[in-house]
Amino acid sequence: MDFYEVNEKRRTIRKFKAPAGEEQLRKLITEGTKAPSSRNTQGWEFVMVDDPNLIEEISEIKYVLTRDNKPRGEPVPTELEVAAQRQKETFANASIVLVYHPEGAGHAAGAWCCIQNMLLAAVAEGLGSKISYFRGEATERINRLVKAPEGVTLAAAIHFGVPAEDPGPRSLRPEGSWLHRNRF
Ligand SMILES: Cc1cc2nc3c(=O)[nH]c(=O)nc-3n(C[C@H](O)[C@H](O)[C@H](O)COP(=O)(O)O)c2cc1C
């Protein structure tokens, strides 16, 4: 599979039928670490999460975070409840890798380059992937669960596994609508 095919095939998968194998996961992480990083600091750290209780707790944190996506004090609309439940379910049958980086925007950029490498490598391995993003108190709760040391920031939880869904057609901005020359 050449780069263009891999890039075309990479889609967010939100239903998995089986997790990635340990060897596959290690391979994806190794490919991730070939990403560029600010001053070649390679500050990324990975936490492979295979403890079912821990995965359950992280999925619950994602559920609560998604459900909270509304003005404080207002009831949870049905569609938000459904979306939150769906987010929780994306943790089923998936391998979970938490990607951390040292504090700071430069390190965050490197970690995200690393994540993209991992997502593309997953395609080459015949696997699907999904990013779960966390912020605020949710991130702090995960940090406590995995005993993250001071000074590291969670970029995201990445799900890998055998896809159990077809993501459907891409929805892309019109070709060139994002392109400018010299000035906006
Ligand atoms: C920074 C970032 C955070 C994301 N967080 C989530 C998430 O928490 N839950 C989710 O379902 N998808 C998440 N996604 C995936 C996007 O929704 C997805 O990439 C986008 O809809 C385009 O679909 P595609 O990946 O299939 O091309 C995230 C993507 C990025 C880059």
Side-chain angles (χ1 to χ4, degrees):
M1 231 189 286
D2 71 12
F3 169 77
Y4 298 97
E5 196 180 348
V6 169
N7 201 29
E8 195 55 46
K9 285 198 169 146
R10 190 226 46 87
R11 297 298 309 282
T12 296
I13 297 298
R14 296 189 176 87
K15 272 193 185 134
F16 299 94
K17 53 182 161 203
E22 169 91 16
E23 282 312 304
Q24 280 181 313
L25 268 190
R26 286 178 183 269
K27 208 165 159 185
L28 303 183
I29 292 170
T30 300
E31 291 310 304
T33 65
K34 294 174 187 171
S37 62
S38 173
R39 290 176 288 108
N40 200 20
T41 41
Q42 301 170 51
W44 35 64
E45 305 287 338
F46 309 91
V47 183
M48 289 164 69
V49 185
D50 56 9
D51 174 343
N53 295 327
L54 213 45
I55 293 179
E56 171 61 27
E57 288 191 81
I58 296 170
S59 73
E60 185 64 25
I61 292 170
K62 182 64 179 168
Y63 169 75
V64 171
L65 178 68
T66 309
R67 220 172 164 267
D68 263 6
N69 220 347
K70 56 158 186 63
R72 194 185 286 268
E74 285 193 10
V76 181
T78 312
E79 59 274 25
L80 193 56
E81 178 61 41
V82 170
Q85 196 57 46
R86 282 215 188 105
Q87 285 296 315
K88 185 175 163 87
E89 285 163 11
T90 63
F91 287 79
N93 303 317
S95 300
I96 305 296
V97 178
L98 306 181
V99 181
Y100 277 88
H101 59 79
E103 280 163 11
H107 290 303
W112 282 102
C113 290
C114 169
I115 289 170
Q116 178 70 351
N117 269 14
M118 292 163 76
L119 303 186
L120 295 176
V123 176
E125 284 296 307
L127 295 169
S129 64
K130 184 230 173 191
I131 296 169
S132 276
Y133 190 69
F134 297 88
R135 57 190 146 68
E137 171 60 15
T139 315
E140 285 158 29
R141 285 183 63 199
I142 295 176
N143 289 350
R144 285 195 293 275
L145 283 175
V146 302
K147 302 192 189 311
E150 281 294 307
V152 296
T153 304
L154 177 65
I158 316 297
H159 310 219
F160 296 107
V162 181
E165 68 166 4
D166 175 346
R170 277 184 194 279
S171 165
L172 291 178
R173 282 172 58 184
E175 173 83 21
S177 65
W178 20 252
L179 186 61
H180 312 273
R181 193 184 297 274
N182 299 323
R183 295 179 183 84
F184 266 81

